[in-house]
Amino acid sequence: MSPCFPVPWPCCSGSNIWRVRKDGFAVRRTSVGAFAEEATAGPAPAVPATAPAELYGGRSRVLGVVDRESVTAEERPVDDTVFSWPHLVVRHAVVFLASPRFVLALGVSFAAPLRGLANPNLTPEPAKAPWYFAGLQELLSRFDPLVAGILVPLGAVLTFVMLPYLDRNPATEARNRKVAVTLFTALLIIGVVLTVVGTFFRGPGWKFVAPWTHWYVEL
């Protein structure tokens, strides 16, 4: 659009701009361009750039005639947000109510009897922790309890807490966060290896036993 001439304010008001954006410019409309209106029946009458004021009711022309293809469309972000109620809360409520029912159905469908009362005079062999603590138990068998039970877990937690302050890389893509990805992958591999060894490869006396030789696992 051409700049406004020194004319009274109403001629350059926002309502005029709104009508132009809504109705389009005074040129032949095509199927391409910033605005996708249908083409008019015929070409609009040519208006000289310096048309006399009487053609516009005694007022000066404030908008120039330009090609539609030269108008840049304004990118408007798509609003894909929703309210927490009811969209988010209802989904959480459904999951909250369905989860215990699913677990109860599994307990009824599959026989999972409780074992007898613990006998302090009869210790099972081997005495294994649940699988999610088997890695820590394997670590305890190799190091001092103070080191394996307190210092190592505390060091791992502190490492993750201090990582954002030590690695100040502002990138958000995983391929550009080599320090964080490498450290997390190393700790994950160590945890998985210790858990697998402690769960499947330990037998009586905490000796190494291949799982295909004897199965010392209770799931």
Side-chain angles (χ1 to χ4, degrees):
M1 292 185 296
S2 62
C4 292
F5 295 100
V7 293
W9 167 251
C11 293
C12 289
S13 64
S15 61
N16 294 344
I17 304 299
W18 178 80
R19 291 300 306 181
V20 171
R21 293 294 299 272
K22 182 177 184 297
D23 300 332
F25 293 95
V27 294
R28 181 183 177 87
R29 298 173 178 173
T30 60
S31 58
V32 297
F35 307 96
E37 297 90 355
E38 296 179 357
T40 55
V47 180
T50 57
E54 53 269 14
L55 292 180
Y56 306 100
R59 297 180 296 175
S60 298
R61 179 72 171 175
V62 297
L63 298 176
V65 179
V66 295
D67 294 336
R68 294 176 55 79
E69 288 77 5
S70 65
V71 179
T72 303
E74 179 183 356
E75 294 292 338
R76 298 181 179 179
V78 179
D79 186 11
D80 58 350
T81 59
V82 296
F83 288 104
S84 296
W85 170 261
H87 304 282
L88 184 62
V89 177
V90 169
R91 287 171 171 80
H92 281 206
V94 171
V95 174
F96 176 77
L97 296 174
S99 298
R101 285 161 175 77
F102 177 73
V103 174
L104 180 61
L106 290 178
V108 173
S109 302
F110 299 93
L114 296 177
R115 301 180 62 180
L117 296 177
N119 186 355
N121 298 321
L122 181 61
T123 302
E125 183 64 29
K128 282 190 178 182
W131 68 267
Y132 43 85
F133 283 140
L136 183 59
Q137 189 175 6
E138 175 67 20
L139 199 63
L140 284 169
S141 67
R142 296 177 178 272
F143 298 98
D144 185 84
L146 177 63
V147 176
I150 297 179
L151 297 183
V152 172
L154 182 61
V157 172
L158 290 179
T159 299
F160 286 122
V161 171
M162 296 301 298
L163 184 59
Y165 302 97
L166 300 177
D167 181 19
R168 305 303 294 269
N169 189 352
T172 56
E173 298 83 3
R175 61 178 180 272
N176 297 326
R177 300 297 304 273
K178 293 182 174 56
V179 175
V181 171
T182 302
L183 181 60
F184 178 80
T185 303
L187 293 177
L188 180 63
I189 292 175
I190 294 173
V192 170
V193 169
L194 290 175
T195 301
V196 171
V197 172
T199 302
F200 300 103
F201 291 87
R202 290 300 180 182
W206 207 252
K207 295 180 180 180
F208 185 87
V209 177
W212 51 85
T213 301
H214 194 282
W215 186 260
Y216 291 101
V217 180
E218 292 184 4
L219 300 177

